[in-house]
Amino acid sequence: MDDIESATVFFPGAGSFGAELRPLTRALGRSSRPVRYPGRPGRDYGTPAASFDAVVRSCAEQIMRRPAGRPLLFGHSYGAYVAYATAARLSEAGVEVAALVAVGAAGPGRLRVPEQAAAGPAEAAAYLERADPGALAGAPSDEWRTVVAETTAQDLRLLRQFTPATVPVLHCPVMAARGTDDPLTTDDTIAAWQHTTTGPFTRRTFPGGHSDLLGSPDCAAWLQRIRETADA
């Protein structure tokens, strides 16, 4: 194991501020932390990224600023693609990635972002209602629902710029998972993650939809085993 404690770094989905990942961050403890996407509201609120590559660059810089042994990258939905591209950027910078975990996301070669969903807040809200109803249902106010919808539209516009074929192949283990009721993925589309690495690949299916599987004790136990294996 590294002298510096390895971290698990979480990449939230489109429009998300990470609340759905809290059961997993609690399970992993102090060795886990989320990335902050440029422009997300908060104490360091700034200008949204102008490109998908700018998001990836920011995430890689955040990780490299805080030594974390061999970081394990966990991405959900949109965050899976950011984590994937970040893993490649870190590798190019000489940072060894322990593993990439992609949840609720089709393999990059199977990625399809509906143009209509990225058109604006109303269209993004309708997309969320179909794909992940809990994302808006849990909003504490209409104002916050608007923030989530606007942020989702922005993230999806950036994701439409992503060209998976430009990402160098990874060499770390890759694990993919989905919820049985997730309308955005199938067993076949998550299996396509195997083409992103020369290293080991495994996939899992958990009960639940697009995001609620993240609150499953089985999912937390699975991630803990991945972390323990990576640190062995």
Side-chain angles (χ1 to χ4, degrees), residues 56-66 86 89-90:
V56 173
R57 183 170 61 251
S58 173
C59 292
E61 289 172 353
Q62 289 173 53
I63 293 170
M64 288 188 288
R65 280 198 301 267
R66 296 177 61 182
T86 299
R89 187 173 292 251
L90 290 172

mmCIF file of all heavy atoms in Angstrom, residues 56-66 86 89-90:
data_model
loop_
_atom_site.group_PDB
_atom_site.id
_atom_site.type_symbol
_atom_site.label_atom_id
_atom_site.label_comp_id
_atom_site.label_asym_id
_atom_site.label_seq_id
_atom_site.Cartn_x
_atom_site.Cartn_y
_atom_site.Cartn_z
ATOM 1 N N VAL A 56 -12.605 18.093 -17.808
ATOM 2 C CA VAL A 56 -11.638 17.032 -17.543
ATOM 3 C C VAL A 56 -10.337 17.615 -17.008
ATOM 4 O O VAL A 56 -9.761 17.100 -16.032
ATOM 5 C CB VAL A 56 -11.382 16.217 -18.828
ATOM 6 C CG1 VAL A 56 -10.249 15.224 -18.630
ATOM 7 C CG2 VAL A 56 -12.657 15.502 -19.256
ATOM 8 N N ARG A 57 -9.878 18.680 -17.617
ATOM 9 C CA ARG A 57 -8.633 19.309 -17.172
ATOM 10 C C ARG A 57 -8.750 19.777 -15.718
ATOM 11 O O ARG A 57 -7.841 19.561 -14.903
ATOM 12 C CB ARG A 57 -8.290 20.485 -18.083
ATOM 13 C CG ARG A 57 -6.964 21.166 -17.729
ATOM 14 C CD ARG A 57 -6.551 22.162 -18.794
ATOM 15 N NE ARG A 57 -7.528 23.238 -18.974
ATOM 16 C CZ ARG A 57 -8.309 23.366 -20.038
ATOM 17 N NH1 ARG A 57 -8.239 22.493 -21.031
ATOM 18 N NH2 ARG A 57 -9.148 24.364 -20.128
ATOM 19 N N SER A 58 -9.876 20.395 -15.381
ATOM 20 C CA SER A 58 -10.094 20.859 -14.015
ATOM 21 C C SER A 58 -10.094 19.698 -13.029
ATOM 22 O O SER A 58 -9.475 19.773 -11.961
ATOM 23 C CB SER A 58 -11.420 21.619 -13.923
ATOM 24 O OG SER A 58 -11.735 21.938 -12.573
ATOM 25 N N CYS A 59 -10.763 18.601 -13.387
ATOM 26 C CA CYS A 59 -10.832 17.446 -12.491
ATOM 27 C C CYS A 59 -9.454 16.828 -12.280
ATOM 28 O O CYS A 59 -9.079 16.468 -11.158
ATOM 29 C CB CYS A 59 -11.802 16.406 -13.047
ATOM 30 S SG CYS A 59 -13.535 16.945 -13.034
ATOM 31 N N ALA A 60 -8.692 16.698 -13.353
ATOM 32 C CA ALA A 60 -7.340 16.143 -13.234
ATOM 33 C C ALA A 60 -6.466 17.027 -12.351
ATOM 34 O O ALA A 60 -5.702 16.528 -11.512
ATOM 35 C CB ALA A 60 -6.726 15.976 -14.619
ATOM 36 N N GLU A 61 -6.587 18.338 -12.511
ATOM 37 C CA GLU A 61 -5.781 19.256 -11.704
ATOM 38 C C GLU A 61 -6.158 19.160 -10.232
ATOM 39 O O GLU A 61 -5.284 19.209 -9.350
ATOM 40 C CB GLU A 61 -5.963 20.683 -12.219
ATOM 41 C CG GLU A 61 -5.294 20.916 -13.572
ATOM 42 C CD GLU A 61 -5.644 22.267 -14.180
ATOM 43 O OE1 GLU A 61 -6.526 22.962 -13.605
ATOM 44 O OE2 GLU A 61 -5.046 22.617 -15.212
ATOM 45 N N GLN A 62 -7.452 19.012 -9.937
ATOM 46 C CA GLN A 62 -7.879 18.868 -8.542
ATOM 47 C C GLN A 62 -7.248 17.639 -7.898
ATOM 48 O O GLN A 62 -6.808 17.671 -6.743
ATOM 49 C CB GLN A 62 -9.398 18.755 -8.470
ATOM 50 C CG GLN A 62 -10.147 20.031 -8.790
ATOM 51 C CD GLN A 62 -11.649 19.789 -8.874
ATOM 52 O OE1 GLN A 62 -12.255 19.229 -7.949
ATOM 53 N NE2 GLN A 62 -12.263 20.195 -9.971
ATOM 54 N N ILE A 63 -7.216 16.545 -8.634
ATOM 55 C CA ILE A 63 -6.650 15.302 -8.101
ATOM 56 C C ILE A 63 -5.148 15.427 -7.910
ATOM 57 O O ILE A 63 -4.589 15.002 -6.891
ATOM 58 C CB ILE A 63 -6.998 14.122 -9.030
ATOM 59 C CG1 ILE A 63 -8.520 13.872 -9.003
ATOM 60 C CG2 ILE A 63 -6.240 12.865 -8.626
ATOM 61 C CD1 ILE A 63 -9.004 12.904 -10.059
ATOM 62 N N MET A 64 -4.479 16.045 -8.874
ATOM 63 C CA MET A 64 -3.021 16.156 -8.779
ATOM 64 C C MET A 64 -2.578 17.151 -7.708
ATOM 65 O O MET A 64 -1.457 17.050 -7.198
ATOM 66 C CB MET A 64 -2.442 16.528 -10.143
ATOM 67 C CG MET A 64 -2.513 15.378 -11.143
ATOM 68 S SD MET A 64 -1.629 15.683 -12.708
ATOM 69 C CE MET A 64 -2.707 16.878 -13.490
ATOM 70 N N ARG A 65 -3.448 18.105 -7.365
ATOM 71 C CA ARG A 65 -3.107 19.053 -6.296
ATOM 72 C C ARG A 65 -3.111 18.407 -4.922
ATOM 73 O O ARG A 65 -2.498 18.912 -3.989
ATOM 74 C CB ARG A 65 -4.078 20.239 -6.305
ATOM 75 C CG ARG A 65 -3.781 21.292 -7.347
ATOM 76 C CD ARG A 65 -4.482 22.601 -7.020
ATOM 77 N NE ARG A 65 -5.920 22.468 -6.945
ATOM 78 C CZ ARG A 65 -6.756 22.683 -7.962
ATOM 79 N NH1 ARG A 65 -6.264 23.008 -9.151
ATOM 80 N NH2 ARG A 65 -8.052 22.561 -7.809
ATOM 81 N N ARG A 66 -3.854 17.290 -4.793
ATOM 82 C CA ARG A 66 -3.954 16.617 -3.495
ATOM 83 C C ARG A 66 -3.428 15.199 -3.642
ATOM 84 O O ARG A 66 -4.158 14.313 -4.103
ATOM 85 C CB ARG A 66 -5.407 16.597 -3.017
ATOM 86 C CG ARG A 66 -5.983 17.979 -2.762
ATOM 87 C CD ARG A 66 -7.446 17.896 -2.365
ATOM 88 N NE ARG A 66 -7.624 17.136 -1.121
ATOM 89 C CZ ARG A 66 -8.823 16.896 -0.582
ATOM 90 N NH1 ARG A 66 -9.916 17.317 -1.190
ATOM 91 N NH2 ARG A 66 -8.909 16.209 0.542
ATOM 92 N N THR A 86 -10.599 11.694 -17.491
ATOM 93 C CA THR A 86 -9.664 12.144 -16.458
ATOM 94 C C THR A 86 -8.628 11.068 -16.165
ATOM 95 O O THR A 86 -7.444 11.366 -15.970
ATOM 96 C CB THR A 86 -10.423 12.514 -15.174
ATOM 97 O OG1 THR A 86 -11.343 13.580 -15.446
ATOM 98 C CG2 THR A 86 -9.466 12.964 -14.079
ATOM 99 N N ARG A 89 -6.034 11.261 -18.759
ATOM 100 C CA ARG A 89 -5.184 12.451 -18.593
ATOM 101 C C ARG A 89 -4.201 12.259 -17.432
ATOM 102 O O ARG A 89 -3.033 12.648 -17.522
ATOM 103 C CB ARG A 89 -6.056 13.682 -18.362
ATOM 104 C CG ARG A 89 -5.286 14.999 -18.354
ATOM 105 C CD ARG A 89 -6.225 16.174 -18.297
ATOM 106 N NE ARG A 89 -6.992 16.292 -19.516
ATOM 107 C CZ ARG A 89 -6.820 17.246 -20.429
ATOM 108 N NH1 ARG A 89 -5.858 18.133 -20.272
ATOM 109 N NH2 ARG A 89 -7.577 17.308 -21.503
ATOM 110 N N LEU A 90 -4.676 11.664 -16.341
ATOM 111 C CA LEU A 90 -3.789 11.412 -15.205
ATOM 112 C C LEU A 90 -2.668 10.453 -15.604
ATOM 113 O O LEU A 90 -1.510 10.643 -15.231
ATOM 114 C CB LEU A 90 -4.586 10.830 -14.040
ATOM 115 C CG LEU A 90 -5.556 11.782 -13.335
ATOM 116 C CD1 LEU A 90 -6.411 11.014 -12.323
ATOM 117 C CD2 LEU A 90 -4.817 12.918 -12.637
#
